[in-house]
Amino acid sequence: MAHPPSDILTITLNPAMDMSTGVDAVRADEKLRCDAPVLDPGGGGINVARVICRMGGRATALVALAGYRGQELAALLTREGVPTEVFELNGETRLSLAVTDRQAGNQYRFVMPGPVWTQTDVDALCDRLQTAIQPSMQVVLSGSQPPGVPDGFPRMLAGITRAQGAILTLDTSGAALAVQASDLGAAPDILRLDGAESEALAGRRLGSLHDVAGFARELVGKGYARAVVLALGAEGSVLATAGTLLHAVTPPVPVASKVGAGDSFVGAFTLTRAQGGDWSDALRHGTAAASAAVMSPATELCRDHDLRALLPQVKITQL
């Protein structure tokens, strides 16, 4: 389906149909009677676009989909009012199952494999992006990369965004993230990492706010990104640019599910930047959105009323 141009484009290469349910207790070798499942369209870029639309903004989600499950996922996005551009693949879109054990208070997450990409698929996507990405557009590549997509794809995307005069935010994982602290990285405009990803990229433990802030500044200083956001979980996030080093945190909130906190941060952060907000304002909105997300159950992402309630409570400190 064709849509009018959008100032924000999210890219999801490895989407999943998110199915969540609950059970009294998870026990081996028993037939477990689960609650009625809740289905949500899942994947980093998809969730970022969903958050932006919930906040009253507009983002187009470019999503690689395959098979019957892909059609079902696209229908859920349409029902939710998220403008979607489908990049079609052979195979079947992934299924991600989250099961909450009410007795133990634990959540178990099972992720199935999805399509394996070919070089022809990668080339076709790059051709598609040449026309989809427009000048001054905020482009977000978020989520894991599927098998077959080269680790250097973010660098390829960065070349397209720079040529088009667009702005790239990168929030990925695994091998595609590992190369970002090297000359083979994409050097995006904005690089976001969670705690485990930060330590993996640093190759050392980041045990304090001082360590995290120092690593963020180090990444910027070496030219690996124009701005770096490092998430600290309940301790908020750190933002570093060439001239800025900020820490933002909300008061403690009740935790229902940690799923989607990072995507909620990126959605609120990106929309704020697209609307002309400065780094501090974007960090404030992103931090409030991440805390709001953990207050919502399953894969519900942040709720706008929770985000708005938390905004005035965000504490920002210049480091």
Side-chain angles (χ1 to χ4, degrees):
M1 180 184 297
H3 298 281
S6 174
D7 292 334
I8 302 172
L9 177 72
T10 72
I11 301 169
T12 310
L13 303 183
N14 206 18
M17 176 66 75
D18 284 340
M19 177 183 291
S20 56
T21 186
V23 67
D24 289 337
V26 175
R27 301 186 183 91
D29 303 320
E30 289 188 21
K31 184 178 290 186
L32 305 177
R33 304 292 181 180
C34 298
D35 300 335
V38 176
L39 296 178
D40 289 298
I46 286 175
N47 288 337
V48 171
R50 293 172 66 204
V51 168
I52 290 170
C53 291
R54 288 183 180 193
M55 292 179 63
R58 190 180 184 283
T60 297
L62 193 156
V63 189
L65 296 177
Y68 171 77
R69 199 174 293 128
Q71 296 176 31
E72 189 176 17
L73 194 153
L76 289 175
L77 286 171
T78 298
R79 187 182 310 164
E80 197 168 329
V82 178
T84 307
E85 298 291 342
V86 174
F87 180 78
E88 294 184 357
L89 293 167
N90 293 321
E92 189 61 60
T93 296
R94 297 188 302 163
L95 174 67
S96 176
L97 173 63
V99 179
T100 298
D101 181 327
R102 286 187 289 270
Q103 180 175 300
N106 296 326
Q107 185 180 69
Y108 300 86
R109 299 174 68 185
F110 306 89
V111 182
M112 318 303 167
V116 177
W117 287 54
T118 66
Q119 187 58 49
T120 300
D121 294 327
V122 175
D123 292 342
L125 176 63
C126 288
D127 289 343
R128 177 82 166 267
L129 291 171
Q130 296 278 358
T131 56
I133 296 174
Q134 301 296 315
S136 301
M137 178 180 276
Q138 296 272 349
V139 179
V140 179
L141 177 63
S142 181
S144 60
Q145 290 195 176
V149 174
D151 298 341
F153 176 77
R155 185 182 179 94
M156 298 162 62
L157 175 60
I160 297 172
T161 58
R162 278 193 287 269
Q164 297 293 76
I167 299 161
L168 175 61
T169 295
L170 177 62
D171 184 9
T172 189
S173 60
L177 175 61
V179 300
Q180 297 310 315
S182 74
D183 293 338
L184 299 177
D189 296 281
I190 301 159
L191 176 65
R192 184 198 171 273
L193 309 170
D194 66 23
E197 292 165 348
S198 299
E199 293 189 339
L201 201 61
R204 62 183 186 272
R205 185 171 181 273
L206 302 174
S208 68
L209 178 59
H210 176 77
D211 293 338
V212 172
F215 181 56
R217 177 170 277 172
E218 176 185 329
L219 291 172
V220 173
K222 291 182 176 179
Y224 295 145
R226 184 164 69 95
V228 172
V229 177
L230 301 187
L232 301 168
E235 300 303 315
S237 290
V238 166
L239 167 75
T241 70
T244 304
L245 189 60
L246 302 173
H247 172 235
V249 65
T250 65
V253 298
V255 177
S257 171
K258 296 180 181 179
V259 177
D263 296 331
S264 294
F265 179 100
V266 174
F269 186 97
T270 301
L271 178 60
T272 304
R273 290 294 289 172
Q275 293 175 335
D278 62 15
W279 292 118
S280 178
D281 198 26
L283 182 62
R284 181 183 303 277
H285 280 78
T287 302
S291 290
V294 304
M295 296 169 63
S296 62
T299 54
E300 193 175 331
L301 301 173
C302 66
R303 294 175 290 210
D304 191 59
H305 65 276
D306 290 330
L307 189 162
R308 302 299 169 189
L310 284 168
L311 267 178
Q313 303 179 56
V314 178
K315 180 183 178 181
I316 295 188
T317 305
Q318 187 164 344
L319 302 176

